[in-house]
Amino acid sequence: MYSQGLIGADGSTEETDRFLEAFQARIDAEEKIEPMDPMPEGYRRTLIRQIGQHAHSEVVGMLPEGNWITRAPSLKRKLALLAKVQDEGGHGLYLYSAAETLGITREQMTDELHSGKAKYSSIFNYPTLSWADMGAVGWLVDGAAIMNQIALCRCSYGPYARAMVRVCAEESFHQRQGYEIMLTLCRGTEAQKKMAQDSLNRLWWPSLMMFGPHDGDSAHSEQSMKWKIKRFSNDALREKFIAATVPQAEFLGLTVPDPDLKWDDGLNGGKGGYAHGDIDWDEFWRVVKGDGVMNRERIAMRKAAWDNGAWVREAALAHAAKRCDTLAAE
Amino acid sequence: MGNETPLWEVFIRPRNGLAHKHVGSLHAADEALALSAARDVYTRREEGNSIWVVRSAAIAASDPARAGENFDPAEDKIYRHPTFYEIPDDVGHM
């Protein structure tokens, strides 16, 4: 299950001040908003976009790992990977359903993904080149996603929050199986440890990018925080992820590919934290806008799956219609 | 509805003795496919032993805008609760 900071949301509304104030008062009182409740258009649109992006990320996220199912090194690893990819399909479905409660159809969302109008997490536009990537993806990518999603369990929109509770409960095994793969490789031969290090080198920075732009550059973060769609800022979650993950890398005996990374006692008001190097935001935006290594292939595969399944959907509908007619005639 | 695959609401009974509870929704062409998809989507980790699916379009719902007039009147009817009535301790548990 994957998510990242919202890209290009529209927070504008046309409602009266009184309506907006009443809505904000409900949010401030920690009341959940449910599908048929009155809500500002901006709230609705922001959620449709965010939940849609999140659902697309799950579904596209099946591809880099699906790629390795037939080449998993043991039956145990193959079973785990199959279960993980199936979970991601399920998570996509929970999320599409949650978005549909806001008035967008599944067909519209599918079209937006295929046309490139809707975005998904940039991490899935990186290739998975070795078996170690299955370890690093579970450990880092799912780890980063969990950071985001735990916060979203308390989102003000009921159906999204409920979907997140389910997802978080299922997600923990994804990260643990990934870390176990890394641990096995790191306790293996020199070549295996090197493979694990190479994977960390490639996936570390893209994982940090999953939290989205810096708070100052994240145009609609402030409104989303006010509406309690988001509970923590992109940077706060990213720092939390780094603090949790660096010791895990040290345990593996791997080096985080950031020469500027070091513990600083003075950070976070004396509580300490990791100082780290700058993220390459040009790369982030390039990948988000469609120019990552795998963007075209990922969308081509989704389209092919959709198009090749068309006859199944049509046949199922035709069969259902025919049975209805038969029942009506009896 | 056109050519879109219909939406279904899914209810799961976690175990015997408990009621079926709404868990989410999904799209399927008919009830057999809806049950099969509900099993795959909502019971991958022993979440239940029984599934109901019902076409979302078949559900009639109360209007959230009228939640006040529907449900607030119950608020001040404290005489519907046992603690409203004074029974001396000497009577024992009742």
Side-chain angles (χ1 to χ4, degrees):
Chain A
M1 162 68 63
Y2 309 98
S3 71
Q4 70 177 22
L6 192 62
I7 298 153
D10 183 350
S12 66
T13 55
E14 291 170 358
E15 289 84 2
T16 64
D17 287 349
R18 205 173 139 197
F19 172 78
L20 293 173
E21 276 163 26
F23 182 77
Q24 190 61 48
R26 288 190 68 190
I27 299 279
D28 292 343
E30 296 291 334
E31 266 185 58
K32 293 285 182 209
I33 308 301
E34 293 293 342
M36 304 305 283
D37 290 352
M39 63 184 86
E41 219 19 62
Y43 181 82
R44 184 185 299 277
R45 277 204 304 268
T46 299
L47 277 167
I48 286 177
R49 191 160 331 188
Q50 177 168 340
I51 302 172
Q53 269 180 21
H54 199 157
H56 297 323
S57 300
E58 294 290 345
V59 170
V60 176
M62 297 164 80
L63 299 174
E65 289 173 306
N67 184 37
W68 279 93
I69 289 173
T70 56
R71 288 173 285 160
S74 68
L75 182 59
K76 174 186 164 183
R77 296 295 187 212
K78 184 180 287 205
L79 284 172
L81 203 53
L82 270 170
K84 182 175 189 294
V85 171
Q86 193 190 7
D87 273 351
E88 280 148 14
H91 297 173
L93 292 175
Y94 307 155
L95 285 158
Y96 281 130
S97 298
E100 283 172 77
T101 63
L102 292 156
I104 188 168
T105 66
R106 182 75 60 90
E107 283 74 8
Q108 275 172 283
M109 282 187 279
T110 306
D111 285 347
E112 287 180 5
L113 173 66
H114 293 176
S115 72
K117 188 180 169 216
K119 305 294 180 209
Y120 55 88
S121 188
S122 52
I123 190 78
F124 302 116
N125 293 316
Y126 291 84
T128 42
L129 301 175
S130 73
W131 171 251
D133 288 3
M134 293 305 95
V137 164
W139 170 38
L140 301 173
V141 176
D142 286 79
I146 291 170
M147 282 288 169
N148 251 320
Q149 289 166 170
I150 294 221
L152 287 169
C153 289
R154 290 174 55 230
C155 167
S156 60
Y157 188 57
Y160 193 23
R162 290 193 285 276
M164 282 301 102
V165 170
R166 274 193 85 85
V167 165
C168 285
E170 297 182 354
E171 195 96 334
S172 177
F173 114 75
H174 296 186
Q175 190 183 15
R176 290 172 64 107
Q177 67 89 38
Y179 194 73
E180 198 194 80
I181 290 172
M182 294 302 269
L183 203 53
T184 307
L185 289 171
C186 290
R187 288 171 175 172
T189 64
E190 266 313 299
Q192 286 171 326
K193 189 164 181 188
K194 214 175 136 201
M195 194 195 283
Q197 180 66 57
D198 169 67
S199 185
L200 175 60
N201 291 350
R202 282 181 291 108
L203 289 167
W204 173 256
W205 290 104
S207 299
L208 296 189
M209 292 176 198
M210 286 175 68
F211 294 94
H214 279 313
D215 298 345
D217 303 324
S218 181
H220 303 284
S221 266
E222 205 182 321
Q223 180 64 69
S224 281
M225 298 274 281
K226 206 172 153 217
W227 276 332
K228 300 193 179 178
I229 293 171
K230 283 172 81 158
R231 293 282 183 160
F232 299 94
S233 76
N234 295 352
D235 286 330
L237 288 170
R238 185 165 21 239
E239 297 307 316
K240 214 171 148 193
F241 173 74
I242 292 171
T245 310
V246 170
Q248 294 165 355
E250 285 166 359
F251 186 86
L252 292 171
L254 298 179
T255 309
V256 173
D258 177 356
D260 299 321
L261 184 82
K262 61 173 193 306
W263 182 260
D264 182 342
D265 280 329
L267 289 177
N268 296 320
K271 275 192 281 181
Y274 285 97
H276 53 85
D278 285 335
I279 289 169
D280 181 351
W281 292 110
D282 289 341
E283 175 180 321
F284 172 76
W285 288 113
R286 205 162 54 238
V287 177
V288 165
K289 286 175 180 159
D291 259 335
V293 177
M294 300 299 282
N295 295 55
R296 289 165 195 84
E297 184 176 328
R298 299 287 188 237
I299 293 299
M301 279 193 81
R302 283 311 311 154
K303 272 190 189 156
W306 181 253
D307 293 343
N308 294 337
W311 71 271
V312 179
R313 295 190 298 276
E314 284 160 21
L317 281 172
H319 177 69
K322 210 162 146 187
R323 269 189 52 230
C324 265
D325 291 346
T326 314
L327 286 174
E330 275 169 9
Chain B
M1 185 136 296
N3 222 10
E4 289 173 13
T5 307
L7 190 64
W8 300 74
E9 299 304 322
V10 181
F11 300 82
I12 307 264
R13 183 205 293 285
R15 59 178 188 273
N16 280 18
L18 297 176
H20 286 74
K21 193 179 164 207
H22 184 245
V23 292
S25 45
L26 52 79
H27 289 273
D30 61 26
E31 64 275 16
L33 289 171
L35 281 169
S36 157
R39 173 192 166 274
D40 289 345
V41 178
Y42 291 105
T43 65
R44 288 194 302 280
R45 286 175 177 79
E46 302 178 283
E47 284 88 344
N49 64 10
S50 167
I51 303 172
W52 288 351
V53 291
V54 58
R55 284 282 292 266
S56 308
I59 291 180
S62 64
D63 180 356
R66 299 178 66 175
E69 63 192 87
N70 273 333
F71 308 113
D72 287 354
E75 232 173 60
D76 58 4
K77 295 185 174 48
I78 49 173
Y79 49 86
R80 285 179 174 157
H81 297 276
T83 47
F84 182 70
Y85 302 93
E86 302 258 352
I87 306 284
D89 288 347
D90 297 345
V91 176
H93 177 72
M94 183 180 283

